[in-house]
Amino acid sequence: MVKNPAVAKAMRDLGFLTEVGEDDPNVQFRVRAYYRAADTIASLPEDVADIYRKNGIKGLLEVPSVGKNIAAKIEEYIKTGKVRAFEELKAKIPIDIDELYGIEGVGPKTIKILYDKLQVKNLADLEKAAREGKLRAVPGFTEKKERDMLKRIEFFKRGKGRRIIGEVYPLVKQIEKGLLQVAGVKNAITAGSVRRMKETIGDIDYLVASSDPEPVMDFFTKMPEVQEVVGRGPAKAFVRLASGIDADLLVVPEESWGAALQYFTGSKEHSVELRKIAIAKGLRLNEWGVFKGEKRVAGATEEEVYRALGLQWIPPEMRENAGEIELARQGIVPKLVEYGSLKGDLQVHSENSDGTATIEEMARGAKEFGLDYVAITDHTKSLAVAGGLDEQELLQQAEKIAELNDRLKGFRVLASAEVNIMKDGSLDIANNVLDKLDIVGAAIHSHFNLPIEAQTERLTKAARNPSVDILFHPTGRLINKRAGYPVDIERVIEVANETGTVLEIDAHYDRLDLKDEYIRMAVKKGVKLVIDSDAHHPIHYAFLIFGVAQARRGWATQADILNTLTADRLLEALK
Ligand code: DGT
Ligand code: CA
Ligand code: CA
Ligand code: ZN
């Protein structure tokens, strides 16, 4: 059966080629609809193919962001594995979307020009054209832009082959569930970089405990998601999934579960250190257990493996050999912020700017998700592409929110905004208006190529603004796509500390901004953080898990994360 990631990709690709291939000036609306549908489908808990099987087109139309045109395309894709409109466009413009789409600054318009002028179809063509100095002759390009392009291609190549965790997570969990249901299986878990919740994933590693590997191996190699069985042994298998990612499987007996889990979770660097410790203690550590001579002294649980090495258990997210082993030796591993401990979400968009649901729908969705409050942070006026609000609209929105709060029981909506930081670090909304809101976030959305000094000055000036409570997605990166603007993050953290400004961990899986290393810097300095979903639709609250994971990778505890507080306590804690 067709899985959601494949349907989402089909819609995204169709949107992309439509934008490249059609001259209709209103094409943007259709294109955005395709992208929106793709985003929704990618994070939908139920497969659209299942929805279609049960309720046909009518069922598809109930999926948020899916209208008639898109429902028909989804139906076509489910039935035939193809979309005719896409195939026709592809015949006209035979480009490698996956490669070219990934390069920052290469949008549909650029691709069209590059294809028309230089017959650039893929990354290799683009790189060749840039190296041969042909790019600078294309309208809109310069020598500098040609050089920048080469740098971006390098950046893209480095991340290539690694998938963003949020894009593969639903699939990962679905297969894990399947493994748990196989006869004789005592335990099943996703290990490797997924268990460590790294922001990008090379391949997926499944570990299963069972005394009878055969049915597990059969299930794993014959799942509908499998495109090719690359290798199969008695208790190990290696497959390529249809979505283009590889998956490993290891089946072990229950008594080795802990040791195998430790081994297969990694990281390799972390495990190499553990082995050294074992050797120094006259022990031997491998995936079957901890051994003293021929005798197994530990192996059934991870706790007992770590204990045998004289260490406290270490949460998977910390296992990167970045100092965590020393903490474990001293018994002072921090108690990390827990999944599910967030009480509120402080970056949430509504349809009043670029979201796709009303404030009330966003509030009810958050409540259903288990949150107690959200801040509605629509964009502000200088961000016209996102439908930014002006002063008057913000104040009107705050009034509507007050009325809504009277109606909502056991839930609170905070009036807020994602205020746009201008080129000079000033804001596009006056302070006397911002001060009427409950909480204010500020973010950079333009002028990404200013030099590092100017960019740092811009952010620190915003942090010094007494009305600004939070800096949203502070470095502006998009994982695998955009490196983020140059900024002296240490300096930003210092100023956040001086001014009592909070820094955001944006949980959207494309951003995860701040990254783990910067979270650690902030935590060390005592700068407070919040974890936000950046939701544009209620299903996006599911992104919060990736933000909590990132916080844990940055060694943050509950006390470091302000939106683990109640709304009242949070508001008291702000500057
Ligand atoms: P990935 O797949 O690149 O996102 O990262 P991982 O960490 O999932 O790496 P992977 O899939 O190559 O291997 C899974 C785990 O298996 C890894 O975290 C630790 C363990 N492992 C793999 N190769 C070695 C090795 O050569 N030595 C040791 N000690 N452990 C290894
Ligand atoms: Ca892996
Ligand atoms: Ca692997
Ligand atoms: Zn934003």
Side-chain angles (χ1 to χ4, degrees):
M1 193 185 62
V2 188
K3 296 289 170 193
N4 281 344
V7 182
K9 184 170 185 315
M11 291 306 117
R12 200 169 288 127
D13 287 354
L14 176 56
F16 193 72
L17 265 200
T18 303
E19 203 171 357
V20 177
E22 293 195 13
D23 296 325
D24 174 5
N26 288 325
V27 79
Q28 279 304 329
F29 292 99
R30 260 188 304 142
V31 169
R32 276 184 66 177
Y34 287 133
Y35 288 158
R36 212 173 271 154
D39 280 350
T40 304
I41 292 165
S43 41
L44 214 58
E46 191 182 0
D47 275 310
V48 282
D50 254 340
I51 296 174
Y52 178 71
R53 191 165 46 82
K54 280 187 232 150
N55 296 316
I57 287 273
K58 231 180 99 220
L60 294 181
L61 286 170
E62 277 165 25
V63 175
S65 321
V66 172
K68 266 195 195 144
N69 169 42
I70 290 178
K73 301 273 191 311
I74 295 174
E75 177 184 46
E76 197 185 341
Y77 186 78
I78 291 171
K79 281 184 167 166
T80 68
K82 287 197 167 126
V83 178
R84 213 179 59 221
F86 176 78
E87 299 301 323
E88 284 170 10
L89 283 164
K90 180 92 189 180
K92 269 203 300 188
I93 316 157
I95 56 167
D96 186 330
I97 300 180
D98 292 340
E99 284 195 355
L100 294 176
Y101 186 42
I103 313 280
E104 191 219 337
V106 180
K109 287 204 186 64
T110 311
I111 289 181
K112 179 90 164 64
I113 295 179
L114 291 174
Y115 177 68
D116 287 347
K117 302 271 176 211
L118 302 172
Q119 281 74 55
V120 166
K121 293 204 266 306
N122 52 39
L123 199 63
D125 292 348
L126 181 61
E127 189 170 1
K128 188 157 171 281
R131 288 205 188 286
E132 288 172 357
K134 289 183 180 156
L135 222 54
R136 65 186 76 167
V138 172
F141 276 89
T142 58
E143 254 189 87
K144 176 168 186 307
K145 285 191 176 168
E146 188 176 80
R147 274 196 310 275
D148 287 349
M149 182 63 79
L150 280 169
K151 274 192 224 144
R152 284 169 185 170
I153 292 172
E154 272 313 302
F155 180 80
F156 177 75
K157 279 176 154 177
R158 255 184 284 139
K160 218 180 155 194
R162 298 194 66 82
R163 301 286 286 274
I164 291 175
I165 189 166
E167 286 177 1
V168 294
Y169 202 73
L171 174 69
V172 163
K173 287 289 156 186
Q174 188 178 306
I175 294 176
E176 185 181 281
K177 229 163 97 190
L179 285 167
L180 273 166
Q181 282 157 7
V182 175
V185 166
K186 298 283 192 293
N187 215 341
I189 197 171
T190 317
S193 51
V194 172
R195 185 160 179 246
R196 303 199 313 280
M197 295 297 272
K198 262 190 87 155
E199 55 202 34
T200 63
I201 304 301
D203 74 353
I204 313 168
D205 305 284
Y206 291 104
L207 180 70
V208 171
S210 174
S211 50
D212 182 13
E214 199 57 27
V216 185
M217 304 293 292
D218 277 345
F219 170 85
F220 188 72
T221 51
K222 291 179 183 144
M223 302 182 292
E225 292 86 354
V226 172
Q227 183 187 329
E228 187 192 345
V229 179
V230 183
R232 179 174 173 163
K236 267 188 190 176
F238 180 38
V239 300
R240 174 144 307 145
L241 301 177
S243 54
I245 192 163
D246 295 337
D248 271 345
L249 169 71
L250 177 64
V251 186
V252 297
E254 258 185 302
E255 60 268 25
S256 295
W257 173 259
L261 183 56
Q262 195 294 309
Y263 170 84
F264 219 25
T265 298
S267 66
K268 190 174 158 185
E269 293 73 18
H270 174 90
S271 297
V272 165
E273 285 308 304
L274 294 193
R275 284 181 187 205
K276 284 189 201 155
I277 293 173
I279 291 167
K281 288 184 175 302
L283 301 168
R284 203 155 42 84
L285 167 68
N286 60 31
E287 55 267 57
W288 309 109
V290 183
F291 296 87
K292 188 164 197 143
E294 288 309 301
K295 189 170 177 285
R296 187 205 312 259
V297 295
T301 67
E302 273 193 335
E303 283 79 358
E304 107 188 6
V305 169
Y306 280 92
R307 203 182 311 125
L309 303 177
L311 301 173
Q312 200 182 352
W313 181 81
I314 300 170
E317 297 89 336
M318 290 179 73
R319 299 183 196 171
E320 300 292 349
N321 193 29
E324 74 280 7
I325 294 173
E326 189 46 40
L327 297 184
R329 203 194 312 262
Q330 297 175 37
I332 52 168
V333 173
K335 192 172 166 347
L336 303 182
V337 58
E338 303 270 357
Y339 292 101
S341 65
L342 299 182
K343 291 196 169 68
D345 187 340
L346 300 173
Q347 194 193 155
V348 171
H349 298 262
S350 85
E351 64 179 15
N352 298 344
S353 64
D354 61 347
T356 56
T358 64
I359 293 176
E360 179 156 358
E361 284 163 348
M362 293 308 289
R364 293 195 186 278
K367 187 170 182 217
E368 215 166 284
F369 186 78
L371 299 175
D372 300 335
Y373 59 93
V374 292
I376 297 295
T377 54
D378 280 314
H379 290 284
T380 51
K381 64 185 178 188
S382 60
L383 205 64
V385 285
L389 309 184
D390 64 19
E391 279 88 351
Q392 202 191 343
E393 288 166 323
L394 275 177
L395 293 175
Q396 280 166 357
Q397 179 152 306
E399 270 172 40
K400 288 222 184 83
I401 285 173
E403 286 164 25
L404 177 61
N405 277 324
D406 290 340
R407 271 187 290 128
L408 291 174
K409 297 267 175 301
F411 191 85
R412 180 152 171 207
V413 181
L414 302 174
S416 183
E418 179 175 4
V419 185
N420 205 15
I421 301 174
M422 310 302 280
K423 191 178 176 188
D424 66 355
S426 65
L427 305 179
D428 66 343
I429 300 290
N431 278 41
N432 64 345
V433 172
L434 294 180
D435 290 342
K436 297 207 168 73
L437 305 177
D438 295 310
I439 179 167
V440 173
I444 284 178
H445 297 97
S446 61
H447 303 287
F448 282 21
N449 46 18
L450 294 177
I452 185 163
E453 299 77 22
Q455 210 67 271
T456 306
E457 173 59 24
R458 229 178 143 190
L459 269 185
T460 52
K461 189 169 166 192
R464 288 209 169 87
N465 187 315
S467 300
V468 171
D469 300 300
I470 311 172
L471 292 181
F472 285 160
H473 44 73
T475 73
R477 72 161 177 173
L478 294 178
I479 299 169
N480 278 1
K481 280 211 172 146
R482 182 169 85 198
Y485 37 78
V487 61
D488 179 352
I489 196 75
E490 267 190 273
R491 182 78 196 120
V492 173
I493 289 171
E494 263 169 39
V495 175
N497 193 26
E498 281 164 33
T499 55
T501 308
V502 177
L503 300 181
E504 179 189 60
I505 300 170
D506 192 307
H508 192 293
Y509 51 68
D510 280 339
R511 293 188 178 271
L512 295 175
D513 182 359
L514 298 171
K515 68 173 169 187
D516 48 7
E517 159 190 4
Y518 296 160
I519 294 171
R520 273 183 72 185
M521 284 165 60
V523 165
K524 221 166 162 184
K525 283 261 155 70
V527 167
K528 297 296 179 195
L529 304 164
V530 293
I531 299 170
D532 302 333
S533 68
D534 204 344
H536 288 66
H537 184 280
I539 56 179
H540 297 160
Y541 293 123
F543 297 161
L544 285 170
I545 185 178
F546 305 113
V548 177
Q550 190 78 345
R552 291 169 63 86
R553 290 182 57 82
W555 301 12
T557 67
Q558 177 150 337
D560 298 311
I561 309 294
L562 286 186
N563 53 330
T564 59
L565 298 172
T566 62
D568 284 335
R569 297 284 305 279
L570 165 84
L571 293 173
E572 278 167 30
L574 298 174
K575 74 181 179 197

